[in-house]
Amino acid sequence: MNKSVMAAIFATGLAVVGWVGWGFAGSSPLALTMTVVIAAVYVLGAYELMQFRGATLSLGSSLNGLGHKPPTDLDAWLDCLHPSLRNPVRQRIDGERAPLPDPALATYLVGLLVMLGMLGTFLGMVVTFKGAVFALEASSSLESIRAALAAPIKGLGLSFGTSVAGVAASAMLGLMSTLCRRERLGVMRRLDAQIAGALRPFSAAHRRQAMFEALQAQAQAMPLIAERLHGLMEGLERRHEQL
C-alpha cells in the first residue's frame, strides 16, 4: 500500500512538471531549460528517498523475521540490513541512543525546487521586460506597440509556469519525505521494542546484569569453597601427622 502511494505521489509531481515543460516546448527555451533542471532535481530527491525507504524496509523485514526468539548470531542478523543501518542499529542494541541516518539531500532539495521555480520566473521576467523595452523603443504608432508587446506579455505569462513546476515538485517531494520519515519512525519503535525483548541478550545492560549475577553466585559460593578448603587443610595436616 505504501509503495503504491509513494509511486502515485511521485508520478503526480512528475506529471505536473512534464505538463509545464510541454507548454514551454517550442515557445520559451529558457523556461523549458529551467523546467528540465527542476525535473532532474525532483528525480534526484525521489531517488534518495527510494534508497532511504529501501533501508527502512530491510530493517522492517529483519524485525519481522526475528519473532520472539533472539538470533543465534548478531553479526549475521546485522548483515541482512542495509549498510547504512548496520552500525547505528548495533549501537542502539548496545544501549547507545544513536539516531538512524536521515536523507542527506531531500530536505535541501525541497527548498531548492521552489528557488529554481522562482529563478526561472525571474529570468523569464527579465527577458520579457527586455523585449518590451525593445518594442517600445523600436515602435512609434500605438498599433505597432500593441503588436510588439503581445509576444513579451505572453512570454511573461508562460514564465510563471516554472514557479508552478517548482512548487508542485517541492510539495510532492516534501510529502514523500514526510511519509518516509514516518515509516522510519515506526520501524525505530519496533526496533526499540525488540531491543527490550528478543535482542536484549546482545545488549550491554544484559551483559552487565549477567556479570553481576555471576559475581553474586561466586560470592554465595565463597563460604562453601572456604569450608572445603578448610577441610582439605585439616585433612592434609592429619595426613602429615600420620606420615
Side-chain angles (χ1 to χ4, degrees), residues 81-194:
L81 303 180
H82 192 271
S84 63
L85 296 181
R86 292 172 187 171
N87 189 48
V89 170
R90 183 188 295 273
Q91 291 178 354
R92 291 183 74 89
I93 292 175
D94 287 337
E96 302 179 14
R97 305 305 298 175
L100 300 184
D102 290 330
L105 296 176
T107 303
Y108 169 73
L109 295 180
V110 169
L112 179 62
L113 287 170
V114 178
M115 295 298 105
L116 289 175
M118 295 178 63
L119 177 61
T121 297
F122 292 153
L123 292 177
M125 292 174 66
V126 170
V127 174
T128 299
F129 290 152
K130 281 187 177 181
V133 171
F134 178 77
L136 291 175
E137 291 178 349
S139 302
S140 58
S141 63
L142 181 60
E143 293 298 330
S144 59
I145 291 176
R146 293 177 59 183
L149 288 178
I153 296 302
K154 184 179 179 181
L156 179 62
L158 291 176
S159 65
F160 283 97
T162 57
S163 292
V164 174
V167 170
S170 176
M172 295 299 102
L173 188 63
L175 180 58
M176 288 190 292
S177 178
T178 301
L179 293 178
C180 289
R181 291 175 186 274
R182 188 182 68 174
E183 189 176 21
R184 172 65 64 86
L185 182 61
V187 173
M188 286 179 60
R189 291 173 179 170
R190 292 173 53 197
L191 175 63
D192 292 338
Q194 290 290 355

